[in-house]
Amino acid sequence: MTRAAAAAACVAVLAGACTERGPQQISDSGFGAFEASLAVGPRRLGIAWYDTRDGNAEIYLRIVDARTLKEAAELRLTRTADASYEADVAAIGDAFAVAWYEKSAEDGTRGARLGLWSDAGVGLWARPISSAPSRNPVLAVRGDAMFSAWIEADGQGGEAVWAAWWSRSGERLGEPIRVGPASATTWNLNAAVDAEGRAFVVYDAQAGTRAEEILLARVVDDGGASLMRLTADDGYRSKYPDIAFGADGTAAITWFDERDGNTEVYFYAGALGPDPAIERAARRVTQTTGDSIGAYVASNGSTYGLVWSDDTAGAYDVFFQAFDAAGVPLSSIRRVSSTAAQSLIPSIGALGERFAVAWNEIEAASLGHGAAQRSEVLLAVVP
C-alpha cells in the first residue's frame, strides 16, 4: 500500500464506515513491516514493529508527535545477523522502552532483549532479559520502573512464563519470578500495572487442559505470583488475551474464543476479586459469520477502547468499540480499516479522550507466512 492509498482508504464516519481521519502509513518498508506495537507518551507516540526490508527481520521504531501526528524518521534498532521479532513498546516518561526477541542465525536459539530510547530517537541502552533461551517479552511501566514478562525454556523441554522489574537505567530490580507454566502454543503475553502499582500478566496455555485457556497472574514485587485460570476447560481454544486497568480500579480483559464454532471476541470489565468469574460475566462482542481475532484493549481513564480484526467481508479489517467501566458499550462498532489488504494485529493506546490504533496491512496475495509477504504499518485515531 502506498502512502496516498493509505490516506484515501477511510474518510467516512459511523458504524460500518471508517474513522474521521484516514489512516496514515507509519512504516516505509516497501516490503514487510509486521506486528505493530503502539505506546503513548506525554508528548509523543512510539510505534515499533519488525521489518524484513534488510534481508532478515529487524526491529524498527517510529516516533510520532501526539498532537500533530507528524512523524520523525524511522529508527532501525537492531543490526545483527540474527532475526529480531515481536517488538513490544512502552512509554516511560519521555522515553520508549522496547522489548523483543532474537532468533540465532546459527542454531535457532531465541533470546529476549530489552532497550531504552529517548523520544528524540537516541539509543540509551539495550541488553538481554535472560541468559536462558527466551522469547516473546512484553512490557508495562510503573513510574520510573519497567515490568517485563517473557517465556523461558525450563531446561527439560518445557517452557514457563517469567517476570522481573528493571530500573530506567537498565538495572534489574530483584530476581526474576516464575509466573506459571507455558506451552508450545503460548505466543501472546500481555502485561499491565493497576492504579496501586501491582503488575499483572495474562496469557494462554495448554497446561493441564484439553486446549489453550486464559491464565491471569498477579506478580508480587518481593517474589512469587498468584495464578488463576479464567476460562473453563471446555476443549475449545481461548486465545491471545489482553488486559488494561481504568483509573477507577476496574480491569478489562479481552480474548478470542473458538467455543461458538468460529472465533469470536469476548470482553470483560469490572473488579478482579478472588473469584472474578470473568468468563461467565464476559460479553460476546462479535456476532459475525467470519473470524474475529486479535483483540486488544486500552483505557483512557474512564473508557475502555477495544480493537480487533474480522474477515466477514473477505479480507480482515480492524474494528473498534468503546465500553464503560462495567463493560457496557458506549458506541456502536466502528470499522477502522477498509482495504483489500489484510488488516491484522491491532495495537491500541489512549490519546487523551480518543484512542490511537496501529496495525499492519498485508497484501491479500501474500497472507501466508514467508519472505515474500508485503506489509506496511498504519496508524489511525478513533473518537
Side-chain angles (χ1 to χ4, degrees), residues 164-178:
W165 288 91
W166 274 263
S167 70
R168 183 173 171 137
S169 61
E171 301 302 316
R172 197 179 67 206
L173 304 173
E175 293 300 313
I177 299 165
R178 187 182 187 278

Side-chain angles (χ1 to χ4, degrees), residues 59-145:
I59 304 301
Y60 276 72
L61 173 69
R62 192 158 216 164
I63 294 170
V64 178
D65 185 274
R67 184 177 62 86
T68 66
L69 299 187
K70 183 178 180 180
E71 307 155 8
E74 290 177 301
L75 302 172
R76 178 177 167 179
L77 305 189
T78 59
R79 295 180 178 275
T80 69
D82 300 334
S84 302
Y85 295 111
E86 304 274 1
D88 191 42
V89 62
I92 177 166
D94 58 355
F96 290 98
V98 181
W100 72 97
Y101 75 87
E102 297 186 353
K103 185 176 180 180
S104 170
E106 295 182 358
D107 60 10
T109 300
R110 299 180 178 96
R113 298 184 63 83
L114 173 64
L116 189 70
W117 283 261
S118 75
D119 68 355
V122 177
L124 303 176
W125 53 264
R127 60 198 54 184
I129 283 178
S130 173
S131 59
S134 50
R135 60 183 177 90
N136 296 87
V138 294
L139 292 170
V141 170
R142 180 182 66 193
D144 283 333

Side-chain angles (χ1 to χ4, degrees), residues 42-383:
R43 299 178 299 166
R44 294 180 174 88
L45 313 179
I47 304 167
W49 66 92
Y50 84 84
D51 200 303
T52 57
R53 75 180 79 173
D54 306 300
N56 69 328
E58 303 288 353
I59 304 301
Y60 276 72
L61 173 69
R62 192 158 216 164
I63 294 170
V64 178
D65 185 274
R67 184 177 62 86
T68 66
L69 299 187
K70 183 178 180 180
E71 307 155 8
E74 290 177 301
L75 302 172
R76 178 177 167 179
L77 305 189
T78 59
R79 295 180 178 275
T80 69
D82 300 334
S84 302
Y85 295 111
E86 304 274 1
D88 191 42
V89 62
I92 177 166
D94 58 355
F96 290 98
V98 181
W100 72 97
Y101 75 87
E102 297 186 353
K103 185 176 180 180
S104 170
E106 295 182 358
D107 60 10
T109 300
R110 299 180 178 96
R113 298 184 63 83
L114 173 64
L116 189 70
W117 283 261
S118 75
D119 68 355
V122 177
L124 303 176
W125 53 264
R127 60 198 54 184
I129 283 178
S130 173
S131 59
S134 50
R135 60 183 177 90
N136 296 87
V138 294
L139 292 170
V141 170
R142 180 182 66 193
D144 283 333
M146 293 167 283
F147 175 82
S148 182
W150 66 93
I151 302 168
E152 182 172 306
D154 62 12
Q156 300 175 343
E159 293 179 307
V161 175
W162 287 77
W165 288 91
W166 274 263
S167 70
R168 183 173 171 137
S169 61
E171 301 302 316
R172 197 179 67 206
L173 304 173
E175 293 300 313
I177 299 165
R178 187 182 187 278
V179 173
S183 61
T185 54
T186 302
W187 285 101
N188 189 76
L189 310 177
N190 279 297
V193 175
D194 70 6
E196 298 181 23
R198 300 175 298 186
F200 291 78
V201 181
V202 288
Y203 65 100
D204 66 77
Q206 186 174 4
T209 54
R210 289 174 288 171
E212 296 98 309
E213 301 295 349
I214 306 301
L215 299 173
L216 169 68
R218 176 189 166 194
V219 181
V220 182
D221 283 6
D222 58 0
S226 58
L227 183 69
M228 59 182 173
R229 178 160 49 86
L230 302 185
T231 52
D233 181 12
D234 57 8
Y236 296 100
R237 299 195 310 163
S238 303
K239 296 290 294 180
Y240 293 2
D242 194 20
I243 185 170
F245 288 96
D248 59 358
T250 61
I253 297 176
T254 186
W255 69 95
F256 69 85
D257 206 296
E258 295 181 349
R259 71 188 192 191
D260 305 302
N262 65 334
T263 55
E264 302 290 352
V265 171
Y266 280 78
F267 177 78
Y268 168 86
L272 288 183
D275 180 18
I278 285 174
E279 185 176 42
R280 295 195 300 273
R283 173 186 296 270
R284 177 176 163 179
V285 175
T286 57
Q287 308 281 339
T288 65
T289 57
D291 284 331
S292 302
I293 61 173
Y296 295 90
V297 62
S299 170
N300 65 14
S302 61
T303 301
Y304 290 111
L306 178 70
V307 288
W308 67 93
S309 296
D310 186 281
D311 70 349
T312 301
Y316 279 102
D317 285 313
V318 174
F319 293 83
F320 167 87
Q321 190 168 25
F323 297 84
D324 68 14
V328 177
L330 295 174
S331 72
S332 58
I333 293 174
R334 299 172 181 265
R335 179 183 286 168
V336 179
S337 68
S338 182
T339 68
Q342 305 283 351
S343 303
L344 292 166
I345 316 178
S347 180
I348 185 169
L351 188 63
E353 294 184 355
R354 300 183 296 170
F355 293 90
V357 182
W359 68 95
N360 67 279
E361 293 217 333
I362 304 176
E363 289 183 8
S366 61
L367 182 59
H369 292 289
Q373 284 184 302
R374 305 285 177 172
S375 178
E376 298 287 358
V377 172
L378 272 64
L379 170 71
V381 176
V382 294

